[in-house]
Amino acid sequence: MIELEGLTKRYGEKVAVNNLSFTVRPGIITGFLGPNGAGKSTTMRMVLGLDRPTSGDVRIDGKHYDQLKDPLTYIGALLEAKAWHGGRSAYNHLLCLAQSNGIPASRVREVLDTVGLTAVARKKTKGFSLGMGQRLGIAGALLGDPRMLMFDEPVNGLDPEGIHWIRNLMKTLAAQGRTVFVSSHLMSEMALTADHLVVIGQGRLLADTSMAEFIAENSRSYVRIRTPQREQLLDALQGAGIKVAEPGAEALEVDGDIAQAVGELAARHQIVLHELSPQRASLEEAFMQLTAESVEYHAHDGQPPGAAPGQQQPGQPPQQPWGSDWKRG
Ligand code: ADP
Ligand code: MG
């Protein structure tokens, strides 16, 4: 379990991470989603003690990273910037890591096998492709057989086969009961991988929710209708108590999964339909809307309009912007 409490990081004037509180739980994949510059990598570096928080706290099974005995056996990480000692082989790179962390050398072969690098284990890493480099980084993360794993944008720049492989690996690790914390700036990627979702924008927490809940709340179902008998259909829908939106000259939209009801209603009124199509708003749209609001939020000096400065309780997650009215207030 990884627990963040009021975690904050400033670089001079810049607040990279702003009062983040959330918990990453075992047995599931927690997706850490936010646009570039949102503060994901900074947060992950603070988890590993590579960056010191300006205020707040982050604990790994109740301890700070530097209090962990043999930290690689608690938490393994693939961070964004990789510094390969290019002249070394994959095997030697992992062997050094194992030896300096009290991990048996036999483990090196095991992780090389897990990530599929056995055949190139003796090759110098400077000839490695991006995908091979990611695999080697993941081998390092797995070396201590840790209960917690953290991956910072692991699929960036990978080909579809590599992406598929990493996704399945993370699912397997979570199914083994481990804590898996993975960042991405792509909603579509998170939707395919994560069971739980933490969204940040401008360093602030915007959502902390199960993926299923996020999908249910944000992928609105509606029905798009086109008809040459617009006025008759509008009357019929109104008569049936169905609310209609008129987004374009031709198309009508009604909320809900009610294509069948609309079709039958049109038939009863002998109205011709040219289109009757069930639709779902995309999660990508929901994410963009969510984080666009965080930009606006930032523009109001970090306080919602009307809220007095200092009103927010320390350690308390900020109000979730969707579904609330303050942005328009
Ligand atoms: P993400 O990983 O979500 O893309 P980062 O954590 O890398 O975001 O960065 C968050 C913000 O903090 C960005 O605006 C970035 O420019 C800034 N930042 C990150 N590291 C430093 C640093 N060492 N010095 C100054 N600013 C930094
Ligand atoms: Mg990053």
Side-chain angles (χ1 to χ4, degrees), residues 223-227 230 233-234 237 244-248 250-254:
V223 181
R224 192 169 61 209
I225 312 155
R226 288 186 308 119
T227 170
R230 188 185 179 91
L233 182 64
L234 282 171
L237 288 168
V244 189
E246 302 183 50
E250 252 193 295
L252 301 174
E253 282 177 11
V254 297

Side-chain angles (χ1 to χ4, degrees), residues 179-294:
T179 303
V180 181
F181 188 40
V182 55
S183 75
S184 177
H185 61 280
L186 298 172
M187 179 74 232
S188 53
E189 180 52 36
M190 294 282 90
L192 289 170
T193 341
D195 306 295
H196 194 88
L197 190 62
V198 172
V199 185
I200 64 169
Q202 305 271 357
R204 300 183 71 100
L205 188 71
L206 298 175
D208 179 359
T209 174
S210 77
M211 195 68 222
E213 214 170 284
F214 186 84
I215 290 172
E217 279 188 32
N218 291 286
S219 53
R220 179 177 76 100
S221 326
Y222 61 99
V223 181
R224 192 169 61 209
I225 312 155
R226 288 186 308 119
T227 170
Q229 295 166 270
R230 188 185 179 91
E231 292 313 314
Q232 287 100 310
L233 182 64
L234 282 171
D235 286 346
L237 288 168
Q238 196 178 23
I242 298 172
K243 278 215 177 75
V244 189
E246 302 183 50
E250 252 193 295
L252 301 174
E253 282 177 11
V254 297
D255 270 338
D257 213 355
I258 58 167
Q260 184 177 335
V262 173
E264 287 169 7
L265 182 73
R268 278 201 299 282
H269 289 81
Q270 300 200 318
I271 296 168
V272 172
L273 298 182
H274 288 170
E275 181 180 353
L276 178 67
S277 56
Q279 305 281 334
R280 244 169 196 274
S282 82
L283 291 176
E284 208 71 49
E285 273 166 30
F287 169 54
M288 272 164 49
Q289 204 175 339
L290 188 58
T291 49
E293 287 180 3
S294 87

